[in-house]
Amino acid sequence: MAPADSLRAVLDTVFARPAYDWAERPDPFAWVARWWERLLDWLVRTRATNPAAYQALLWLLGAALVAILLHFLWLTWRTVRGTAAGEARAAGQAAARRDAGALWALAEGLAAEGRYAAALVPAFDALVLDLGERGAVRFHPATTPAEYVRAARLPATERAQLRELVATLYRVTFAGDSFDAEGWRRWRTAARREWDATAH
């Protein structure tokens, strides 16, 4: 029979191998499980000791869920609306290859129907074509309104006016700001002014 010391030395050697490392490894997400258990315990205690507070909490959580759902629906609507605005702009750009007069007529028709925000898209393309005829900008379907402002060969005061027209276009088309008949009238009047397209 092998001596006890020899047997212990063999066992110590075997169990010292990594395969026999039985140390419990910490779970990095254990705190989440502990927090969840505490929350459930608290809910059970609250339900037993204070039913009114428990009911109020359920109503509050329900209201929060409804608010989240409404926010999701609102974002979805804004996304779809933005896509529609993009399609309207693409249609306006295609029409812009014809002439500014047709675009102004399209914008006026949309405004007559009370669709003032939609009227801004073809109206801006018409403005760009008008400025292009005066040599202030060069129309290109891939150019953004802000890029037209930066590239426009206009005096500083007129460039500021164009910048304000573009800011209104962005606020209404992309941010969803309200835009009524009076806003359309002011925007159209500013856009259809005589622009000084002298290169600066």
Side-chain angles (χ1 to χ4, degrees):
M1 182 174 177
D5 289 346
S6 300
L7 184 57
R8 179 173 296 281
V10 170
L11 289 174
D12 287 346
T13 302
V14 170
F15 288 120
R17 294 176 183 169
Y20 293 98
D21 183 10
W22 294 328
E24 185 177 349
R25 291 178 175 83
D27 182 3
F29 300 104
W31 66 273
V32 176
R34 286 194 303 271
W35 179 84
W36 181 250
E37 288 173 7
R38 280 198 221 102
L39 177 63
L40 292 179
D41 289 342
W42 178 80
L43 285 173
V44 169
R45 284 196 312 273
T46 303
R47 183 178 183 184
T49 59
N50 194 343
Y54 181 77
Q55 286 294 325
L57 178 63
L58 288 183
W59 280 106
L60 184 64
L61 292 175
L65 183 61
V66 169
I68 291 170
L69 178 61
L70 290 175
H71 184 65
F72 171 76
L73 292 174
W74 180 73
L75 287 177
T76 303
W77 177 76
R78 288 281 303 275
T79 302
V80 170
R81 184 175 164 201
T83 302
E87 290 172 355
R89 179 164 178 76
Q93 288 170 346
R97 296 188 182 96
R98 295 192 292 273
D99 69 284
L103 286 170
W104 279 119
L106 173 61
E108 295 290 355
L110 290 170
E113 295 172 7
R115 299 170 60 192
Y116 304 110
L120 281 178
V121 176
F124 181 77
D125 287 333
L127 170 60
V128 169
L129 284 178
D130 287 342
L131 291 173
E133 289 177 5
R134 293 173 169 82
V137 296
R138 180 176 296 170
F139 176 82
H140 190 279
T143 303
T144 67
E147 289 171 335
Y148 282 124
V149 173
R150 288 193 294 272
R153 293 182 293 277
L154 293 168
T157 55
E158 301 216 340
R159 185 190 301 269
Q161 179 68 50
L162 181 60
R163 184 178 295 110
E164 182 56 36
L165 291 172
V166 168
T168 301
L169 173 71
Y170 279 168
R171 284 195 304 270
V172 173
T173 305
F174 299 111
D177 281 9
S178 61
F179 194 65
D180 57 11
E182 179 60 24
W184 163 251
R185 186 190 63 76
R186 287 197 304 269
W187 195 96
R188 179 189 57 192
T189 300
R192 302 208 74 170
R193 57 176 297 198
E194 280 296 323
W195 293 86
D196 179 6
T198 306
H200 285 267

